[in-house]
Amino acid sequence: MDEKLKRRRPEHENGHQHNSSINTLEQLKALCRKRNIIIKPTLDKLIHSCPNESQMQLFSKLGIYFSHLNDAVKNTGTITSMLLCGEGTQKTKRQINQFLGTDDCDIKAVALSPVIKSISSICHGHGFPKARDVDALLKLPSLQKDGQLDRKRLSSISSANHGKGVPKIVENY
């Protein structure tokens, strides 16, 4: 069966999957194990908060997310932090529905961010961010130093805005 899965999911040259055909919880967990991503109990809570009729779509979207994360992410907490606001709560259901409506290319773009941990902290409980908002945030002049993203400044913003969502200043940028 593993051989079938490998043939069905083409991979990038760097080993990350390009497209995901994840449609079961076991396939999703196998992907995480293959990528050395620790599966936290909150992932099951997130999945159980999703209506049964939408779970296959959720597995697929999560597969895209996990297949494009950088190797610095060691567990499933980055996504559950953004989407899970208590198992089965209305807010969690809204966050899941918003995530399900996110284009695959946007999920991939956010997951590929080298600072996804900071983004996850900022968006804690506020849902999955828009790729354009993440891009605008990371390009803010106040976060640049010598033409590069200043990770210390981003860390400060991340700490100050933990759970507040992407700062409103990004909307005006």
Side-chain angles (χ1 to χ4, degrees):
M1 179 157 168
D2 285 340
E3 213 43 53
K4 277 186 190 177
L5 290 175
K6 287 179 186 173
R7 283 194 304 260
R8 285 178 37 201
R9 295 187 303 233
E11 297 191 9
H12 284 272
E13 5 351 77
N14 67 359
H16 292 187
Q17 296 169 347
H18 176 64
N19 293 318
S20 177
S21 60
I22 304 291
N23 57 15
T24 70
L25 180 56
E26 288 311 310
Q27 287 176 317
L28 182 64
K29 289 183 176 184
L31 168 65
C32 289
R33 284 190 295 273
K34 180 179 178 184
R35 299 278 331 277
N36 295 317
I37 298 171
I38 297 167
I39 301 164
K40 296 182 85 174
T42 52
L43 182 65
D44 285 327
K45 290 178 182 181
L46 177 68
I47 290 166
H48 291 297
S49 297
C50 182
N52 289 339
E53 64 272 9
S54 300
Q55 283 187 351
M56 283 182 50
Q57 185 182 6
L58 180 63
F59 297 148
S60 177
K61 298 281 186 181
L62 290 172
I64 291 164
Y65 179 80
F66 290 129
S67 66
H68 290 91
L69 283 176
N70 66 54
D71 293 335
V73 177
K74 301 295 182 198
N75 62 56
T76 58
T78 54
I79 192 73
T80 59
S81 169
M82 293 185 274
L83 301 181
L84 189 63
C85 306
E87 186 174 358
T89 66
Q90 286 298 2
K91 187 172 182 183
T92 295
K93 290 176 183 179
R94 280 193 306 274
Q95 307 294 26
I96 290 170
N97 284 332
Q98 178 265 331
F99 180 65
L100 295 177
T102 303
D103 288 337
D104 293 353
C105 60
D106 286 338
I107 293 171
K108 178 181 173 182
V110 172
L112 285 170
S113 173
V115 292
I116 188 64
K117 289 180 181 180
S118 292
I119 300 305
S120 175
S121 175
I122 291 170
C123 295
H124 178 84
H126 277 267
F128 197 79
K130 291 177 173 55
R132 70 174 184 262
D133 290 346
V134 171
D135 188 51
L137 173 68
L138 300 180
K139 289 180 179 175
L140 283 173
S142 59
L143 291 179
Q144 305 302 308
K145 184 177 179 182
D146 300 326
Q148 299 282 327
L149 176 67
D150 185 332
R151 289 181 183 235
K152 278 190 172 185
R153 289 181 188 168
L154 177 62
S155 180
S156 295
I157 295 292
S158 174
S159 294
N161 283 293
H162 176 76
K164 295 180 182 174
V166 176
K168 297 295 179 201
I169 191 167
V170 168
E171 294 174 2
N172 300 325
Y173 178 67

